[in-house]
Amino acid sequence: MEIIYDKNMKRGKILKRTMKLSCVIVIAVLGYFGFLHMKIQESIRQQIPENADYLMILGARVKGSVPSLSLQYRIDKAAEYLSANKHTVVIVSGGKGPGEDISEAKAMQQGLIAQGIEEARIMMEDKSTTTHENIVFSKELIPDTAASGLIVSNDFHIYRAVEIAKKEGLDMKGLPAKTPKVSLLKSYTREYLAITKYYLTGLIGR
């Protein structure tokens, strides 16, 4: 009987320790995600300067030749700014992926022209497939005289995009477009993981 009692006691202690550890891990993860959410919110609440020298619109999915809702929101936000700031030029950045009949850059160019933005103000970067490539490849198109720039993306994406731009030597702020309600949870969850990967990559120097 004593042997059985001792085994049950040990199992009980192990279970309690496991539960405590699980609680600590859950609290730590929630706290970390809370920190990331705070950084995202800070990045989209910054004051947007007028008359930026250039905009850089980051690509998102195109369905055939039609912009996804996320991309359409980016196009709309950029067109709104460009219409109000006539001397600002724009770089549309995004290659052609699976299921896309045209590049994301081409879809953005067409969308901007449809909203009255002159084609002469639009520069195209149509080879990139990641946020990092968006910024690195677009950097080559920034006019030599340009000093101030804005990154246009959905709000959840602004923080990481601006941080990558800083790492590439660009002093940019974000011009946030809204995120479709239907994809809010998915977009933010994926972005938390993408930011974590970005942090870890920075730590190991790759």
Side-chain angles (χ1 to χ4, degrees), residues 12-83:
K13 288 181 179 179
I14 292 172
L15 180 60
K16 285 182 180 179
R17 289 174 183 172
T18 301
M19 290 179 65
K20 286 182 179 179
L21 180 59
S22 298
C23 287
V24 170
I25 292 173
V26 168
I27 291 171
V29 170
L30 290 176
Y32 173 67
F33 282 174
F35 165 77
L36 294 183
H37 193 74
M38 179 188 70
K39 300 300 289 184
I40 290 172
Q41 293 304 308
E42 285 179 352
S43 70
I44 64 180
R45 288 174 181 162
Q46 295 184 19
Q47 185 174 356
I48 307 301
E50 296 180 355
N51 299 311
D53 293 322
Y54 66 96
L55 300 185
M56 184 186 296
I57 315 177
L58 307 187
R61 185 184 175 194
V62 174
K63 300 176 182 178
S65 60
V66 179
S68 62
L69 190 54
S70 291
L71 184 56
Q72 188 61 54
Y73 284 161
R74 300 181 193 192
I75 295 169
D76 293 344
K77 177 59 69 171
E80 178 185 344
Y81 187 94
L82 291 166
S83 295

Side-chain angles (χ1 to χ4, degrees), residues 140-155:
E140 301 301 318
L141 300 178
I142 298 173
D144 293 336
T145 56
S148 59
L150 294 172
I151 291 180
V152 184
S153 191
N154 303 103
D155 50 17

Side-chain angles (χ1 to χ4, degrees), residues 109-164:
Q109 181 199 49
Q110 292 176 349
L112 291 173
I113 291 173
Q115 296 193 46
I117 306 304
E118 302 91 337
E119 186 174 353
R121 296 172 67 187
I122 305 171
M123 295 173 280
M124 290 181 58
E125 182 289 297
D126 61 0
K127 302 300 180 185
S128 58
T129 59
T130 66
T131 301
H132 183 258
E133 288 182 354
N134 283 151
I135 293 167
V136 171
F137 296 170
S138 295
K139 182 180 176 180
E140 301 301 318
L141 300 178
I142 298 173
D144 293 336
T145 56
S148 59
L150 294 172
I151 291 180
V152 184
S153 191
N154 303 103
D155 50 17
F156 71 88
H157 192 211
I158 290 293
Y159 169 66
R160 180 164 59 98
V162 169
E163 288 299 304
I164 293 173

Side-chain angles (χ1 to χ4, degrees), residues 138-200:
S138 295
K139 182 180 176 180
E140 301 301 318
L141 300 178
I142 298 173
D144 293 336
T145 56
S148 59
L150 294 172
I151 291 180
V152 184
S153 191
N154 303 103
D155 50 17
F156 71 88
H157 192 211
I158 290 293
Y159 169 66
R160 180 164 59 98
V162 169
E163 288 299 304
I164 293 173
K166 287 180 181 177
K167 194 171 182 179
E168 293 300 322
L170 299 174
D171 184 14
M172 303 184 73
K173 291 186 177 180
L175 179 59
K178 62 183 178 180
T179 299
K181 291 182 180 179
V182 68
S183 62
L184 269 173
L185 180 60
K186 179 181 178 181
S187 295
Y188 272 86
T189 300
R190 290 178 63 182
E191 188 61 16
Y192 296 152
L193 298 176
I195 295 171
T196 300
K197 180 180 178 181
Y198 171 73
Y199 284 164
L200 292 175

